């Protein structure tokens, strides 16, 4: 809700510096709608901006409003008459394709468009502010109507579920196949649920921690293998491996666990720069190494499947915090051993305490150490 003093927004000011600032109500362009945010999910990129002041090569140069995994309700439609009307509940597609005339990319894959922007990203300057705020001005083309009857927790997962959906699409036809998911963090867990929806024959999940593995089972994994059991993972002979941990050990395991002639989908984003990879083994086994980056129109399929009750990913959500407790929420989200998807509530929706309000929180350095130890996650 907007307070008398202004609009609350979760802003990263630099490494280890996260604040809930009060901002003025946003001004609207002719093609923009004013959206009251209901829930927002904390993503790995949000954590990186807080912990490091950067997400990969996207470095904070100015304070940045975080957040791109959001749902809300239109309170003022776009002035040009486009997009959903007043009162419509919406999910958000956070991408904007880059300008024409740049380097080539496939026309049907705008996620590969150079120079594009994403809500809550410092990849360009000026930065593109995100949507972790009580009220946000968003282009009408980003808004996707969703049913009022859709469970808020499931609805809040539409954006990350679209990322998982895209990764499974990049895997090809998974029906009846054995698939290993490396990293059972929020994105990996959503990949598990998507694989089951798409008819995978056997879904196996691996992670460093037991809690994510239990959530993966709840979302449809047929079995789990702890990351410590390297020999067993190497012998899985999986038709498809989806690497969602974004780690060198995860990619190494993916190549070893894939069957000859199999496909490895690289969903987890590794750090920039050269990385040690078992390329000789990938060549000798004729593996297909396939990248997966964000998503395109999968969001519409996701909304249709959720609305029809064909998939329920809400078990990925482990905590919901009021936005006033954003820093506490970020600390919890950084602890891979206990948390799944952590949501921020901007409307008082579905808030639950994960720990007493006076409980001690870890320093950013402690949170960074925990987050860096994670084999699974995004």
């Amino acid at each position: 809700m907007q307070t008398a003093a202004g609009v609350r927004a979760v802003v990263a000011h630099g490494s280890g510096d996260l604040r809930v600032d009060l901002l003025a109500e946003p001004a609207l362009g002719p093609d923009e709608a004013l959206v009251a945010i209901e829930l927002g999910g904390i993503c790995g990129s949000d954590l990186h901006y807080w912990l490091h002041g950067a997400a990969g090569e996207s470095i904070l140069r100015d304070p940045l409003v975080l957040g791109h995994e959001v749902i809300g309700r239109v309170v003022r439609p776009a002035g040009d008459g486009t997009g959903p009307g007043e009162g419509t509940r919406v999910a958000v597609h956070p991408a904007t394709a880059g300008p024409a005339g740049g380097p080539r990319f496939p026309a049907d894959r705008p996620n590969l468009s150079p120079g594009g922007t994403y809500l809550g990203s410092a990849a360009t300057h000026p930065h593109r502010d995100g949507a972790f705020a009580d009220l946000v001005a968003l282009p009408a083309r980003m808004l996707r109507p969703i049913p009022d009857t859709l469970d808020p927790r499931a609805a809040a997962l539409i954006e990350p579920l679209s990322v998982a959906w895209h990764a499974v699409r990049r895997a090809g036809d998974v029906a009846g196949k054995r698939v290993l998911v490396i990293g059972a963090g929020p994105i990996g867990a959503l990949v598990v649920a998507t694989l089951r929806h798409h008819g995978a024959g056997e879904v196996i999940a691996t992670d460093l921690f037991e809690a994510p593995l239990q959530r993966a089972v709840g979302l449809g994994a047929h079995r789990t293998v702890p990351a410590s059991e390297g020999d067993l993972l190497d012998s899985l002979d999986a038709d498809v491996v989806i690497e969602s941990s974004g780690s060198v050990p995860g990619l190494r395991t993916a190549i070893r666990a894939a069957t000859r002639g199999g496909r490895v989908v690289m969903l987890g984003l590794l750090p920039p720069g050269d990385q040690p990879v078992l390329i000789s083994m990938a060549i000798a086994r004729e593996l297909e190494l396939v990248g997966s980056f964000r998503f395109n129109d999968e969001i519409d399929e996701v909304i249709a499947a959720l609305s029809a009750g064909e998939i329920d990913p809400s078990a990925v959500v482990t905590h919901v915090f009021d936005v006033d407790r954003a820093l506490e929420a970020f600390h919890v989200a950084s602890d891979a051993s206990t948390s799944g998807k952590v949501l921020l509530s901007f409307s008082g929706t579905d808030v639950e305490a994960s720990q007493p309000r006076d409980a001690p929180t870890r320093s950013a350095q402690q949170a960074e150490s925990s987050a860096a130890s994670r084999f699974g996650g995004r």
Side-chain angles (χ1 to χ4, degrees), residues 49-65:
Y49 284 123
W50 164 51
L51 291 169
H52 311 295
E57 297 181 354
S58 301
I59 300 171
L60 283 180
R61 297 168 61 184
D62 303 304
L64 175 68
V65 179

Side-chain angles (χ1 to χ4, degrees), residues 50 321 325 327-332 355-364 366-367:
W50 164 51
F321 287 88
R325 299 171 65 194
L327 182 58
E328 185 181 356
F330 270 64
H331 276 282
V332 171
Q355 55 180 316
R357 199 175 274 270
D358 58 354
T361 58
R362 299 171 300 155
S363 68
Q366 289 172 315

